[in-house]
Amino acid sequence: MALDETTNKNKYSRSSLYTLISVFFFWGFLAASNSIFIPFCKGHFHLSQMESQLIDSAFYGAYFIGSFILYLSSVANGADVLNRIGYRKGIIYGLIISILGALAMISAVHSGSFALILGAFFLIALGFSMQQTAANPFVIALGDPATGAHRLNLGGGVNSFGTTLGPLIVSLFLFGSIAGAAKADIGSIDQLYLILAGVFLLVVLIFAFSRLPEVTTDEKFGKTNKATKALFLLTALLVAVIVTGFVTDVNRVWLLGACLAGVMVILIGSLVLAGKNGEGWGAMQYPQLVLGMIAIFVYVGVEVTTQSNLGALLKTPEFGSIDGAHIDQYASLYWGSLMIGRWVGAITVFKPKGLLKVVLTLLVPLLAFGVILGVNIIRGNEVSGLLPYLGCVAVLVAGFFLAAEKPARTLILFASMAMVAMIIGLSTTGIVSTFAFLSGGLFCSVMWPCIFSLSIAGLGKYTSQGSAFLIMMILGGAIIPPLQGSLADSKVGIHYSYIVPVICFAYLAFYGWRVKSVLKRQGIDYDASMDATHPEMD
């Protein structure tokens, strides 16, 4: 069946939602696993900090390539491919690609080639790009768009459960035991990816035979020649940077900085040109989307770079000289921080009211923190040193009450708090600085659903196309981490390279402020809509 717009706005099937968000777990599981692979591969292949970040570049760069291919296929067909085949089938096809990537990883790890490992990561993420392009608008389509951020938070909570378990399980396979070891055999992880391939296949079967609604349309999305040119220009920029990096000795900081500047110029230039004449720009004629594309780019970049460079930071004497086999304690705390925030953000999906809602807002983060402690206890880590982090969790909870579940306000408030946390981390060392940087995960936790729902608000027939454009911007995870890594390799050093997250969070706060007025000019007021849906929030 097809869901019409009225149905979307007034009801959704909980069973469909729960089936759909199962794929969110795997995205988080593998993304968080990179935090263990990066320091391991750095030592195993004798890489620089910048070179070790190529794992993130391969993984997140695939999101851009995959979404761009999907977009070009839609242009060739004259209609959005996902709109035509349906979100459910889009997820299934994406899972099949990820299965091929997981099987490729098994061969890659035995080859001992870092390049082949990067290729396998790329293929897995290529499938993820199609899954996410379909799954995010699908979640929003299963109910009132004004509360879509809450359903995405539920998916994000499941995603973060995967990110919390990811470092633990990968450490188990990589180092041979839950307690860890000083050395690891890279060939031992082939079992992990064989299991993952089997699980992906199981999920394919579940989606193939489940009774998920078919959200489809044959509506054409019009000419998008100008948007296509902008995206080709962006692709050419990325290719030029990659080729230049391999064939010349250009300073990597300047090269990656130029790449970042080029991405911003292309997107901001598109925003200005589309504002003068929207014809030919497709979804990019909407300023909330283009500004949101930059926001997703920056958000994914800051979420990834904060933890990806953490391993190198913690190895310094000022931060405890922690070896690679024990970094997972902090990696799980970072990704667990995302879980804490997303579990709290997902409470609204279950529609608690009054005092019950307040109690859950106070208790759920404690439950999530308990899960983090449990994971570390199983790992064999001493957890008493993590207990002071509850102070950071308390700040997060206060932020939820102040934000009152309004997407724009939430984004402004949490990005501002994250900026302050990063500045504290830059100004101190030791456990205070470590906790400050880790708390970036708390404040990042609910940013994705806020950005995503605000960016596609009012896009109508361009919603799937807009979703594809947003998923392309996961590219930020391929550029910003190696940029910070390059700064870390330079005279700036690993500690002060964390100025990069400060700048990223500053833009996210700006986007939250700017998009609210952009949507109001189009007659869209999410805050008013949410107040009407949830009067108890006042």
Side-chain angles (χ1 to χ4, degrees), residues 53 56-57 60-61 296-297 300-301 304 473-482:
Q53 298 299 307
D56 279 335
S57 296
Y60 293 100
I296 289 291
F297 180 96
V300 175
V304 174
M473 292 300 103
I474 290 178
L475 173 70
I479 295 176
I480 293 178

Side-chain angles (χ1 to χ4, degrees), residues 284-296:
M284 290 181 71
Q285 68 188 275
Y286 295 91
Q288 65 266 35
L289 177 71
V290 180
L291 291 171
M293 289 169 68
I294 299 174
I296 289 291

Side-chain angles (χ1 to χ4, degrees), residues 57-142:
S57 296
F59 193 82
Y60 293 100
Y63 281 90
F64 175 82
I65 298 299
S67 297
F68 190 37
I69 292 173
L70 188 62
Y71 167 73
L72 292 178
S73 299
S74 298
V75 171
N77 282 277
D80 194 297
V81 170
L82 274 181
N83 278 348
R84 179 168 291 177
I85 68 174
Y87 294 143
R88 183 177 68 90
K89 290 181 180 177
I91 293 172
I92 290 174
Y93 296 152
L95 282 164
I96 292 172
I97 295 172
S98 293
I99 290 172
L100 296 176
L103 295 175
M105 181 64 80
I106 295 172
S107 299
V109 295
H110 285 291
S111 73
S113 168
F114 183 56
L116 290 180
I117 289 173
L118 292 178
F121 270 119
F122 181 88
L123 192 55
I124 292 171
L126 199 65
F128 282 6
S129 72
M130 189 166 190
Q131 294 169 47
Q132 288 207 35
T133 302
N136 283 282
F138 199 176
V139 168
I140 293 175
L142 289 176

Side-chain angles (χ1 to χ4, degrees), residues 226 270-282 284-285:
K226 294 178 181 177
S270 299
L271 175 66
V272 172
L273 293 174
K276 294 179 179 178
N277 181 4
E279 185 179 354
W281 285 100
M284 290 181 71
Q285 68 188 275

Side-chain angles (χ1 to χ4, degrees), residues 304-327:
V304 174
T305 197
T306 301
Q307 61 82 29
S308 289
N309 285 286
L310 192 65
L313 181 72
L314 295 178
K315 287 183 178 181
T316 62
E318 296 84 358
F319 287 83
S321 300
I322 300 170
D323 64 74
H326 295 91
I327 289 172

Side-chain angles (χ1 to χ4, degrees), residues 54-361:
L54 290 176
I55 289 178
D56 279 335
S57 296
F59 193 82
Y60 293 100
Y63 281 90
F64 175 82
I65 298 299
S67 297
F68 190 37
I69 292 173
L70 188 62
Y71 167 73
L72 292 178
S73 299
S74 298
V75 171
N77 282 277
D80 194 297
V81 170
L82 274 181
N83 278 348
R84 179 168 291 177
I85 68 174
Y87 294 143
R88 183 177 68 90
K89 290 181 180 177
I91 293 172
I92 290 174
Y93 296 152
L95 282 164
I96 292 172
I97 295 172
S98 293
I99 290 172
L100 296 176
L103 295 175
M105 181 64 80
I106 295 172
S107 299
V109 295
H110 285 291
S111 73
S113 168
F114 183 56
L116 290 180
I117 289 173
L118 292 178
F121 270 119
F122 181 88
L123 192 55
I124 292 171
L126 199 65
F128 282 6
S129 72
M130 189 166 190
Q131 294 169 47
Q132 288 207 35
T133 302
N136 283 282
F138 199 176
V139 168
I140 293 175
L142 289 176
D144 182 355
T147 57
H150 304 318
R151 292 189 294 282
L152 284 176
N153 269 327
L154 180 61
V158 174
N159 175 274
S160 293
F161 187 58
T163 62
T164 303
L165 293 180
L168 172 69
I169 296 175
V170 171
S171 183
L172 169 63
F173 279 88
L174 195 58
F175 294 104
S177 70
I178 292 178
K183 296 183 179 180
D185 176 12
I186 200 169
S188 65
I189 63 172
D190 61 344
Q191 298 177 34
L192 171 64
Y193 281 91
L194 185 61
I195 292 171
L196 281 174
V199 173
F200 287 156
L201 180 58
L202 177 62
V203 177
V204 166
L205 295 175
I206 291 173
F207 271 80
F209 294 101
S210 65
R211 300 184 62 181
L212 284 170
E214 295 286 359
V215 183
T216 62
T217 175
D218 289 323
E219 188 174 15
K220 298 184 182 300
F221 57 65
K223 295 181 179 180
T224 58
N225 55 301
K226 294 178 181 177
T228 303
K229 290 178 182 177
L231 294 173
F232 266 120
L233 184 60
L234 186 56
T235 305
L237 170 67
L238 297 175
V239 172
V241 168
I242 293 171
V243 171
T244 302
F246 274 107
V247 302
T248 71
D249 294 324
V250 175
N251 184 287
R252 296 298 187 267
V253 174
W254 290 108
L255 184 62
L256 289 164
C259 180
L260 178 62
V263 171
M264 295 299 109
V265 167
I266 292 170
L267 291 176
I268 293 172
S270 299
L271 175 66
V272 172
L273 293 174
K276 294 179 179 178
N277 181 4
E279 185 179 354
W281 285 100
M284 290 181 71
Q285 68 188 275
Y286 295 91
Q288 65 266 35
L289 177 71
V290 180
L291 291 171
M293 289 169 68
I294 299 174
I296 289 291
F297 180 96
V298 168
Y299 162 75
V300 175
V302 73
E303 180 190 272
V304 174
T305 197
T306 301
Q307 61 82 29
S308 289
N309 285 286
L310 192 65
L313 181 72
L314 295 178
K315 287 183 178 181
T316 62
E318 296 84 358
F319 287 83
S321 300
I322 300 170
D323 64 74
H326 295 91
I327 289 172
D328 67 298
Q329 175 182 5
Y330 297 96
S332 68
L333 183 57
Y334 178 81
W335 292 110
S337 295
L338 289 161
M339 180 179 69
I340 292 171
R342 288 168 179 172
W343 281 19
V344 177
I347 289 173
T348 304
V349 172
F350 303 99
K351 300 181 180 179
K353 300 186 183 295
L355 181 60
L356 175 60
K357 187 173 185 179
V358 173
V359 171
L360 287 174
T361 302

